[in-house]
Amino acid sequence: MESFFNGFPQLMKASVSLFGIFALAVISLFLVVLWLFYRAKPKRETSILLYIILFCLALALPALAAGSFLDFRMGSEVVAQTINDTTINNPTVDNVIKANSINGLLNLEQDIPVPISDIKATANALWDKYKSEVCNQQERQQENTDIQYTFATDDGNVTAVVRMIILNGNTMRFTVDKKGIKPTAGYPVFIALHGGGSSSDALDNDDDWYNVQGLWGRDVDPGIYIAVRGISNTWDLHFRPDSYPMYDRLIENMIACEDADPNAIYLMGFSAGGDGVYQITPRMGDRFGATNMMAGHPNGVNVDNYRNVPFLVQVGEEDREYNRNLEAARYNELLNSKASSRGGYAHDTFIHAGGDHNNWIPETYVSPQPNTIIDNIAEWLQGNGSGGGTIEQNTASVTWMKQHRRNPLPSRVIWDTSTRADKRLTKGFYWLDAGSNPDGSLIDIEYSRDSNTINVSQLGSYVEIQFSPQMVDFSQPVTINKGQDRFAVQLKASLKKMVETLVDRGDPNYIFSDDVVLENAGGTLKVSGQPSSAVDNTVIGLD
């Protein structure tokens, strides 16, 4: 239905063209009647006027007729293309999808090519089937069921309505508060991580979790506000290795079963939760529209992978424990440097004037605004936490994040493969896949749809580039360049590839139709197993 409304202006254009043709017929009939009237009662003045009208119409009518016909043809073609977003024309592809479950499609004995004109409609059909099946699985239904959960806080026992994801012997509990009328693209989702951290028992972390359940949710409407309980009581409770596949699962459930907008998933965290945001952002950046770190410590995390995730840092000016304040300023300058040299790395840093570790939390709400923050962060950092002047700024976390949306297919991806979550079930990062055992190298690859090229600036030993028609033109060869090495490859859309990539992340934006593997062995670049020719643009047909 959404595809239909996207094509509505074109439908109107086709309708107007039909009206133009009808109008030509009416005008012609009118002229015939006028001529007959003149023949019956000729007058010199009427004759001159009639000749002028006929002369003008003789010039205008052919142009109007041709224009109406062409507009009708163009309108009809656009309507046909719009309809094809939801209608698969190839009977083989259509019948196979209808006859099989997603699991059955994954295990087809023989792959099926998908015509270029059917890629979009095939992706839509697969996504609809996936949503229906996955949300009816017993395990997923249990994960999406609200239950009563009682736990201790500093003020005594409380009972909250929570959901649970259980994976590899670990339990992730979280509250879900869904509010407002669903936007056209789906509900934005705000995932909040509580403070606390290392503790001899669960009480401290449960108390912080309970507090965060009511903090930023007040600013989310419409949207889904989720407060996650860390899976342990250790200092790294939000970014334990087993946490990452559980975050993926939570997000997948929201997209498929709660009508969440996959391009409006946001992450925020305070104190130990801020530690988590620093670490999760570069390892799961392909999931988020923006993230907000508050009062945490980066613990030396590499920021290369932040390039396509808008990142907000907030800290109190006087939050000197573990040098959280100075580290926030240092990371601001680091991100400034990356943005200057590479582009991307959208970020802001709000150092709350006079703030300690947590007394500025109310300044992160939508109201009251604005608030006082350090103006010149570089000068403040150089002064070891003093100087820099102040300015008034809107510092509301939800407001800042929701102005951004994820671009799931950014034209350039920079990926430090040593900064990744090994236990994520997906091995992908945006449109790249480094396999199960990456060598820790930096990968820097860019595509251009205008020139139908892939330009490789840096590459480790292996990477798989995954393609969708939004990235390149499948009807033309795609040229892959790395230094003097150059290939031209002809992509072919594959049903199996589309199903595999859909299941991999449960995200309709990451349904890819074909892939190309680049290997760097002993200085020799190979593309899908074929050695490179430095000057020969040989077209390689990939199976």
Side-chain angles (χ1 to χ4, degrees):
M1 183 62 71
E2 181 179 347
S3 297
F4 174 83
F5 283 111
N6 288 340
F8 188 73
Q10 286 79 13
L11 287 171
M12 287 297 296
K13 182 177 182 180
S15 300
V16 170
S17 299
L18 286 171
F19 176 77
I21 294 173
F22 176 75
L24 286 174
V26 173
I27 292 172
S28 299
L29 181 61
F30 169 76
L31 289 175
V32 171
V33 173
L34 182 63
W35 176 259
L36 292 174
F37 176 79
Y38 166 72
R39 292 294 300 270
K41 296 183 177 181
K43 291 183 179 180
R44 185 173 183 277
E45 293 81 0
T46 306
S47 176
I48 295 173
L49 178 62
L50 178 61
Y51 284 136
I52 293 173
I53 293 174
L54 288 175
F55 178 76
C56 294
L57 289 175
L59 296 176
L61 283 176
L64 180 59
S68 295
F69 177 73
L70 290 174
D71 280 351
F72 174 69
R73 286 287 303 275
M74 291 172 63
S76 299
E77 290 171 3
V78 173
V79 171
Q81 181 63 47
T82 301
I83 293 172
N84 197 44
D85 283 354
T86 54
T87 303
I88 300 172
N89 291 324
N90 184 282
T92 302
V93 176
D94 190 37
N95 291 335
V96 167
I97 292 175
K98 289 177 178 177
N100 288 274
S101 65
I102 290 294
N103 190 56
L105 292 169
L106 281 172
N107 294 285
L108 288 176
E109 292 184 2
Q110 185 175 356
D111 195 7
I112 297 174
V114 178
I116 295 172
S117 60
D118 279 338
I119 292 176
K120 178 64 174 176
T122 299
N124 288 340
L126 290 174
W127 174 241
D128 288 342
K129 179 178 284 286
Y130 173 85
K131 284 196 301 180
S132 175
E133 292 183 12
V134 78
C135 296
N136 284 297
Q137 292 174 356
Q138 182 178 2
E139 186 177 11
R140 298 277 188 160
Q141 288 181 336
Q142 291 174 346
E143 293 170 354
N144 292 322
T145 299
D146 293 332
I147 61 173
Q148 300 286 323
Y149 179 67
T150 301
F151 55 97
T153 71
D154 289 342
D155 296 324
N157 289 347
V158 297
T159 299
V161 177
V162 307
R163 299 183 187 181
M164 295 190 303
I165 293 175
I166 301 173
L167 192 64
N168 298 327
N170 296 285
T171 300
M172 177 178 283
R173 294 182 175 86
F174 52 96
T175 60
V176 178
D177 185 10
K178 189 175 185 178
K179 297 189 293 186
I181 299 173
K182 184 184 77 170
T184 302
Y187 288 99
V189 176
F190 297 84
I191 302 171
L193 308 181
H194 63 83
S198 183
S199 177
S200 58
D201 59 36
L203 189 145
D204 289 342
N205 288 308
D206 282 343
D207 187 67
D208 283 327
W209 175 42
Y210 179 65
N211 289 334
V212 87
Q213 292 172 24
L215 288 182
W216 298 282
R218 70 190 73 189
D219 296 336
V220 176
D221 189 3
I224 303 173
Y225 179 71
I226 298 174
V228 173
R229 170 54 161 94
I231 68 170
S232 68
N233 293 304
T234 56
W235 73 277
D236 56 352
L237 77 172
H238 290 298
F239 55 100
R240 301 286 296 172
D242 286 318
S243 297
Y244 291 97
M246 303 173 91
Y247 291 130
D248 272 321
R249 184 76 164 211
L250 188 161
I251 293 169
E252 289 170 15
N253 287 346
M254 291 297 113
I255 296 171
C257 308
E258 295 289 353
D259 293 323
D261 179 352
N263 295 323
I265 310 294
Y266 304 104
L267 179 69
M268 58 202 306
F270 187 87
S271 194
D275 294 356
V277 174
Y278 267 128
Q279 301 294 329
I280 296 167
T281 298
R283 292 172 171 86
M284 294 183 65
D286 54 309
R287 287 290 193 186
F288 301 115
T291 61
N292 177 200
M293 192 297 305
M294 293 174 280
H297 193 285
N299 293 290
V301 68
N302 189 308
V303 300
D304 283 325
N305 300 352
Y306 282 62
R307 184 180 189 275
N308 298 304
V309 191
F311 185 60
L312 173 61
V313 173
Q314 299 203 69
V315 71
E317 181 183 16
E318 303 300 329
D319 191 358
R320 301 185 184 279
E321 190 173 17
Y322 307 112
N323 287 325
R324 294 189 190 97
N325 55 352
L326 297 179
E327 283 294 286
R330 189 173 73 83
Y331 266 68
N332 178 73
E333 296 308 297
L334 184 59
L335 290 167
N336 283 344
S337 175
K338 295 287 186 184
S340 176
S341 62
R342 295 175 171 175
Y345 297 95
H347 67 283
D348 269 321
T349 298
F350 300 154
I351 300 177
H352 294 263
D356 57 22
H357 184 54
N358 56 21
N359 67 351
W360 48 272
I361 289 179
E363 298 181 9
T364 65
Y365 305 152
V366 167
S367 179
Q369 294 295 339
N371 294 287
T372 306
I373 61 173
I374 299 301
D375 181 15
N376 190 325
I377 295 175
E379 181 181 312
W380 181 86
L381 178 61
Q382 188 175 10
N384 197 34
S386 64
T390 61
I391 56 171
E392 297 296 302
Q393 177 80 37
N394 185 324
T395 56
S397 297
V398 169
T399 300
W400 190 93
M401 286 191 292
K402 71 181 182 181
Q403 70 181 319
H404 301 284
R405 289 178 57 80
R406 179 188 68 167
N407 177 3
L409 303 172
S411 60
R412 183 181 181 185
V413 173
I414 296 176
W415 187 10
D416 167 31
T417 59
S418 67
T419 306
R420 58 180 278 161
D422 292 333
K423 289 198 174 183
R424 284 188 79 185
L425 299 182
T426 179
K427 305 306 175 187
F429 189 66
Y430 296 102
W431 40 271
L432 298 178
D433 187 327
S436 299
N437 297 297
D439 60 9
S441 298
L442 184 76
I443 298 173
D444 184 355
I445 302 180
E446 188 171 8
Y447 73 82
S448 169
R449 200 179 196 289
D450 291 339
S451 59
N452 232 39
T453 57
I454 297 288
N455 294 306
V456 181
S457 298
Q458 290 184 256
L459 175 67
S461 59
Y462 173 98
V463 71
E464 177 183 309
I465 304 174
Q466 305 184 101
F467 291 94
S468 75
Q470 292 96 320
M471 298 167 59
V472 294
D473 182 355
F474 272 52
S475 70
Q476 301 295 323
V478 176
T479 302
I480 300 175
N481 300 303
K482 184 182 185 300
Q484 295 299 312
D485 293 319
R486 184 165 67 249
F487 277 96
V489 296
Q490 187 64 57
L491 301 175
K492 297 177 182 179
S494 153
L495 181 61
K496 183 178 181 180
K497 180 67 178 179
M498 295 179 74
V499 178
E500 287 176 345
T501 51
L502 166 59
V503 173
D504 184 49
R505 276 181 274 190
D507 187 325
N509 296 279
Y510 290 133
I511 300 177
F512 296 102
S513 308
D514 200 0
D515 62 74
V516 171
V517 173
L518 304 183
E519 295 180 86
N520 192 358
T524 301
L525 179 67
K526 295 182 178 181
V527 176
S528 293
Q530 300 294 324
S532 164
S533 297
V535 295
D536 181 19
N537 282 343
T538 304
V539 175
I540 302 171
L542 300 179
D543 295 328

